[in-house]
Amino acid sequence: MSSRTARFTLDPAFTVGAVNPRLFGSFVEHLGRCVYTGVFEPGHPAADADGHRTDVLDLVRELGVTVIRYPGGNFVSGYRWEDSVGPVEDRPRRLDLAWHSTETNRFGLSEYIAFLRKIGPQAEPMMAVNLGTRGVAEALELQEYANHPAGTALADLRAAHGDKEPFGIRLWCLGNEMDGPWQTGHKTAEEYGRIAAETARAMRQLDPGVELVACGSSGQAMPTFAAWEATVLRETYELVDLISLHAYYEPVDGDLDSFLASAVDMESFIENVVATADHVGAGLKSKKRIDLSFDEWNVWYLSKWQEHARDAGQGDWPEAPRLLEDNYSVTDAVVLGSLLIALLRHADRVTVACLAQLVNVIAPIMTEPGGPAWRQTTFFPFAQASRYGRGEVLDVRVDSPTYRTRKYGEADLLHATAVRAADGTVTVFAVNRDRTGPLPLEVTLNGLGLRAVTEHSALADADPDARNTLDDPERVTPHPVRGTALADGVLTAVLEPLSWNVIRLA
């Protein structure tokens, strides 16, 4: 790999679009230990009176999460919302087919809303309805229970359960991954399009102001990809606001070079869904634009989980088993940062995104039952992007040295974007995909009135496999980079090998 200089130009006349705060969302599913001993652990030394772990709440606030999708995921396709409300001692235990576990329902709808309110006003609910084993009637019941002020059986039931004020859920997912044969109640595109349209129409009768997300493909590699989106949107185009995308990335057969270029796939996925949605809209002669909800994305060592699932058998139905607890390396964090850059580069159309998941399950935050909570390596790129990635995304066209990947062909060593805040400050987010060499960077700044570099931090390590663990929870943290300068309208920096970089300009 070469260390020739990478370059791009920033100019306020050339922008992508404004960043929707919902781009920095996350996801809480009843899966493994995300809920139980994750966000919720009555009896823990840090638990509050409601059983929420305050150490986790502190880290969630620091992470900068906005919207939180709930209760799934695959879990939602067997979800009975009424099991999750009312006195805890009266809630039924159920078998969860999605993750072969026993669901106690000790944490339910009220506890989820209370958790969001404790995070702060920036945390917004994103509720999924079950269109796998249930349908229109149950979605309407849940919507009325959650949102109607008073004076109906379900609104008054919510008040009787201790929640007088409505939950005010605006953003709703119409099912989850209904294109996937693994999904309980899996449907064809035609079947799903019809029930999604019927549910959307009914939910809008109850509240015309709801925002609705139709299920897109579970990945660009699905055999029905694009045809699925086109069929579903022809049924739902005027009834929904967004269509979903899901993508997870891992190194395959030790191919780290392709893994580091995972955002090449993410960006093409986004652009292909945009093209499909716009094609359907054109055919319908619609003036409406469908935006994208990338409501599941992350690095996930899926092949390792599939091996575990085969070995585990189907004997018992444990409560909150340790599932999908990937321990992330520096390399994983750099890839996650690159995926964040991909989302920001498409902020004009991707208006919701959810890192899957929030705690313990392929998550930036880990906990130990009865013990501490700590930040994974992937915590830091997300927290920095959420903190500094608010404003207008500037159009970045890189001139970068390239390298060869097995999966994606030639890929740029530099992956970058920049965001201009309301006060005129600019933050450059940049990844150097070169695993062995530094990458000099030059950025020409036109008409931005920038005078100084206020900070350059990098997440990188001499050991690309370094991780934060229970025994060493602060092994990896971002560190300051010296020598970055701004002179005569040109920013110069050197990006360390295999690094995530945040450069702030004032």
Side-chain angles (χ1 to χ4, degrees):
M1 291 185 178
S2 169
S3 292
R4 298 189 309 277
T5 301
R7 296 177 173 86
F8 61 88
T9 298
L10 296 179
D11 190 307
F14 300 97
T15 64
V16 173
V19 178
N20 191 315
R22 288 172 169 174
L23 204 69
F24 306 108
S26 190
F27 179 29
V28 168
E29 181 173 3
H30 286 256
L31 192 183
R33 296 194 309 115
C34 185
V35 172
Y36 304 111
T37 72
V39 302
F40 181 75
E41 190 178 351
H44 187 278
D48 63 18
D50 298 321
H52 295 113
R53 285 188 56 158
T54 57
D55 55 346
V56 172
L57 279 163
D58 288 343
L59 288 176
V60 171
R61 293 186 198 103
E62 182 186 338
L63 188 63
V65 164
T66 52
V67 67
I68 295 183
R69 184 168 173 248
Y70 177 85
N74 295 349
F75 175 83
V76 80
S77 291
Y79 176 60
R80 297 164 56 92
W81 73 267
E82 59 272 33
D83 290 350
S84 76
V85 302
V88 173
E89 61 273 15
D90 295 337
R91 297 180 191 173
R93 294 166 60 87
R94 300 282 188 193
L95 298 181
D96 168 32
L97 303 182
W99 302 107
H100 202 79
S101 305
T102 297
E103 175 53 52
T104 67
N105 286 301
R106 287 175 296 155
F107 183 99
L109 186 57
S110 179
E111 290 80 10
Y112 159 66
I113 295 296
F115 177 70
L116 288 169
R117 289 172 175 167
K118 289 172 185 175
I119 295 168
Q122 72 275 18
E124 178 188 2
M126 181 181 191
M127 191 78 194
V129 300
N130 177 358
L131 295 185
T133 58
R134 309 188 95 182
V136 179
E138 292 85 358
L140 286 174
E141 290 167 0
L142 171 56
Q143 184 187 10
E144 183 180 329
Y145 179 94
N147 285 359
H148 197 66
T152 68
L154 289 171
D156 292 346
L157 182 63
R158 183 196 67 243
H161 289 159
D163 291 296
K164 182 179 179 183
E165 295 302 315
F167 296 149
I169 302 172
R170 312 302 309 162
L171 188 57
W172 297 82
C173 300
L174 300 173
N176 174 75
E177 292 186 355
M178 298 310 300
D179 65 320
W182 57 85
Q183 202 71 211
T184 309
H186 161 63
K187 292 172 171 54
T188 66
E190 291 79 7
E191 291 167 340
Y192 171 71
R194 287 298 305 138
I195 193 170
E198 291 161 5
T199 306
R201 192 174 288 110
M203 292 181 75
R204 290 199 185 282
Q205 285 180 284
L206 190 58
D207 177 4
V210 292
E211 297 173 75
L212 302 176
V213 184
C215 285
S217 294
S218 304
Q220 187 165 217
M222 293 293 288
T224 54
F225 171 63
W228 172 278
E229 280 79 0
T231 300
V232 168
L233 285 173
R234 277 194 288 269
E235 291 283 354
T236 62
Y237 198 91
E238 297 298 340
L239 296 166
V240 303
D241 304 283
L242 306 107
I243 190 155
S244 71
L245 301 80
H246 293 176
Y248 297 98
Y249 299 96
E250 65 175 321
V252 177
D253 299 328
D255 183 7
L256 290 177
D257 286 338
S258 295
F259 178 50
L260 286 164
S262 293
V264 172
D265 178 80
M266 182 185 250
E267 295 205 35
S268 77
F269 190 7
I270 292 168
E271 289 158 12
N272 288 336
V273 173
V274 166
T276 304
D278 289 351
H279 173 75
V280 173
L284 295 172
K285 313 296 189 290
S286 177
K287 292 181 168 56
K288 179 179 180 177
R289 189 182 79 170
I290 297 291
D291 285 330
L292 276 55
S293 175
F294 218 127
D295 47 45
E296 287 188 33
W297 68 274
N298 204 344
V299 172
W300 176 14
Y301 286 78
L302 177 59
S303 56
K304 185 174 69 176
W305 149 249
Q306 289 169 331
E307 290 171 12
H308 166 80
R310 283 194 298 269
D311 295 341
Q314 298 290 307
D316 57 359
W317 296 80
E319 292 179 25
R322 289 182 182 264
L323 296 177
L324 282 52
E325 298 193 12
D326 285 349
N327 182 207
Y328 290 119
S329 68
V330 168
T331 302
D332 297 325
V334 171
V335 171
L336 184 133
S338 185
L339 298 175
L340 282 162
I341 288 170
L343 294 171
L344 286 166
R345 286 171 60 86
H346 294 84
D348 57 328
R349 296 301 290 268
V350 181
T351 57
V352 179
C354 301
L355 176 68
Q357 296 189 11
L358 185 59
V359 185
N360 288 329
V361 175
I362 54 172
I365 299 169
M366 294 298 293
T367 70
E368 194 61 22
W374 67 97
R375 305 165 189 81
Q376 291 236 58
T377 58
T378 54
F379 182 100
F380 300 106
F382 189 102
Q384 290 175 311
S386 179
R387 183 172 182 182
Y388 301 120
R390 310 292 182 101
E392 189 84 11
V393 179
L394 300 175
D395 192 9
V396 170
R397 311 284 178 99
V398 303
D399 175 14
S400 170
T402 61
Y403 73 111
R404 188 79 192 162
T405 72
R406 192 187 311 164
K407 196 169 181 180
Y408 306 115
E410 290 290 318
D412 291 327
L413 287 177
L414 174 70
H415 193 214
T417 190
V419 180
R420 189 186 195 197
D423 63 1
T425 60
V426 170
T427 301
V428 172
F429 301 103
V431 159
N432 177 12
R433 292 168 171 154
D434 194 328
R435 294 192 284 129
T436 57
L439 182 65
L441 173 66
E442 289 184 6
V443 182
T444 301
L445 306 169
N446 292 336
L448 289 163
L450 299 168
R451 298 285 180 265
V453 177
T454 57
E455 180 187 16
H456 178 180
S457 79
L459 188 75
D461 198 276
D463 177 7
D465 200 45
R467 304 159 192 263
N468 292 343
T469 63
L470 174 63
D471 294 329
D472 195 358
E474 297 184 7
R475 165 68 180 82
V476 178
T477 58
H479 58 262
V481 177
R482 292 178 174 80
T484 303
L486 199 170
D488 300 323
V490 177
L491 168 72
T492 55
V494 176
L495 310 183
E496 298 172 33
L498 191 63
S499 62
W500 154 264
N501 299 265
V502 179
I503 304 173
R504 298 174 57 213
L505 308 170

